[in-house]
Amino acid sequence: MELVTQNGQPTSIIGLAGHSGLDSTAVTVAFEAGVNYFFFYNLKFESLLGGLKSLLASKRKQVLVATGYQERDISGLRSYFDSVRRCLNVDEVDVFFAEYVCPDDDMTQVEAMLDELYSWQEKRLVRYVGVSTHNRTLALKLINLGKFQVLMHRYNMAHRKVEEDVLPSAYKAGIPVVAFTCTRWKTLLQGHPRWQQEPPTAADCYRYVLHQKAVNLALTAPQNLQQLEANLSVLNAPPLTPEEIDYWQAYGNLIYGTGQDAFETQWM
């Protein structure tokens, strides 16, 4: 399956996510550069939402609106969904995620949430039902259940075990993957004492993630317009060569370390 806009255009390989430092003009800058996927975790990203609402007023069929809900209560889910539609003045949300599904979740509640999302899809209120998770084992279990259509999953130069199982399984199942935390909470940009070359830029991190055929798009959440414009260069960049892939994997190995030294590695 391929993510497409309401007028049938494929999703851009870069998606813009909300950040408190961005102003509303970022949406226009991104859209004019070729970005058509916009994601927000909640309604606190007022600048992004303001810019997105203006864009949707004239370009609704050319834009994918993506959001989600982290809690598992159906009443809260419905309330949030209604708030999103009122905020953006839209009837339909393109992608809606059951967010941050984790091993501690009651899977009965998760499945009830997904059932609710599919009922919205039948009413043409949601176009794609998604799940986001950091956990590889859980991602595989959910893929095998076949109860969702889009996977948002952590993937970057350091967190590469998904290349062994999650990404191939998602690709085989026809489930497009939205990659997030592509810079590993910016730690990939900071260098390493044993790496004598320049560390990757954010654009390098997105290009690495996008070399996997299972990944439809990489989310970027720049802090300002300067960072956004730098990241948008990915839209016109060539694919990484095999030599570049090996180069950045060697760097990612250093950043990951033993896999036991920080919160973000323990999630794997």
Side-chain angles (χ1 to χ4, degrees):
M1 187 183 71
E2 185 179 27
L3 291 176
V4 298
T5 60
Q6 291 184 6
N7 66 357
Q9 295 301 307
T11 184
S12 51
I13 59 173
I14 292 292
L16 181 62
H19 191 286
S20 58
L22 278 180
D23 62 41
S24 59
T25 61
V27 172
T28 300
V29 170
F31 181 76
E32 291 180 349
V35 172
N36 62 12
Y37 185 100
F38 297 87
F39 174 78
F40 49 96
Y41 289 99
N42 53 50
L43 296 177
K44 295 180 180 179
F45 301 100
E46 295 179 1
S47 294
L48 176 78
L49 291 166
L52 186 54
K53 182 177 182 179
S54 297
L55 179 65
L56 292 170
S58 60
K59 306 290 186 182
R60 177 65 188 98
K61 292 186 177 181
Q62 298 169 244
V63 175
L64 285 148
V65 176
T67 188
Y69 189 66
Q70 183 174 347
E71 305 302 326
R72 305 295 174 240
D73 61 298
I74 300 300
S75 61
L77 171 67
R78 292 170 179 166
S79 177
Y80 175 74
F81 184 64
D82 289 341
S83 296
V84 168
R85 294 194 297 161
R86 285 195 303 270
C87 176
L88 295 177
N89 193 28
V90 297
D91 293 325
E92 187 177 45
V93 173
D94 296 287
V95 190
F96 199 100
F97 292 94
E99 289 179 347
Y100 292 120
V101 178
C102 67
D104 294 335
D105 271 321
D106 180 337
M107 292 308 296
T108 302
Q109 292 182 327
V110 173
E111 291 191 34
M113 184 177 181
L114 293 173
D115 287 342
E116 179 75 8
L117 297 183
Y118 274 110
S119 75
W120 297 351
Q121 188 181 62
E122 291 175 0
K123 298 172 184 175
R124 296 189 176 183
L125 301 177
V126 165
R127 296 180 59 232
Y128 301 102
V129 174
V131 164
S132 80
T133 180
H134 285 260
N135 187 275
R136 289 170 49 232
T137 302
L138 188 53
L140 284 169
K141 178 180 179 180
L142 290 166
I143 290 169
N144 291 332
L145 283 175
K147 294 212 65 171
F148 69 102
Q149 298 168 304
V150 185
L151 174 65
M152 187 160 72
H153 195 57
R154 179 176 63 175
Y155 174 46
N156 55 58
M157 293 175 189
H159 294 126
R160 299 201 313 275
K161 291 181 181 179
V162 296
E163 296 174 353
E164 302 170 5
D165 43 31
V166 174
L167 296 184
S169 296
Y171 188 77
K172 183 178 180 180
I175 296 174
V177 176
V178 176
F180 72 130
T181 69
C182 300
T183 65
R184 193 180 175 269
W185 295 276
K186 301 181 185 177
T187 57
L188 285 167
L189 312 180
Q190 296 170 6
H192 189 278
R194 290 168 53 194
W195 186 260
Q196 301 305 311
Q197 295 80 20
E198 288 293 316
T201 63
D204 291 325
C205 294
Y206 301 128
R207 289 179 67 211
Y208 179 83
V209 164
L210 290 164
H211 89 273
Q212 285 285 335
K213 60 185 178 181
V215 177
N216 272 44
L217 70 100
L219 280 181
T220 182
Q223 294 178 307
N224 52 53
L225 284 174
Q226 182 179 8
Q227 289 183 2
L228 171 62
E229 290 171 351
N231 296 349
L232 291 174
S233 67
V234 176
L235 293 169
N236 299 308
L240 292 182
T241 65
E243 292 76 18
E244 288 174 312
I245 292 170
D246 290 344
Y247 182 79
W248 290 126
Q249 285 180 347
Y251 176 74
N253 290 343
L254 291 175
I255 297 299
Y256 188 80
T258 64
Q260 304 295 322
D261 58 348
F263 157 78
E264 52 261 34
T265 56
Q266 291 171 11
W267 271 86
M268 293 300 284

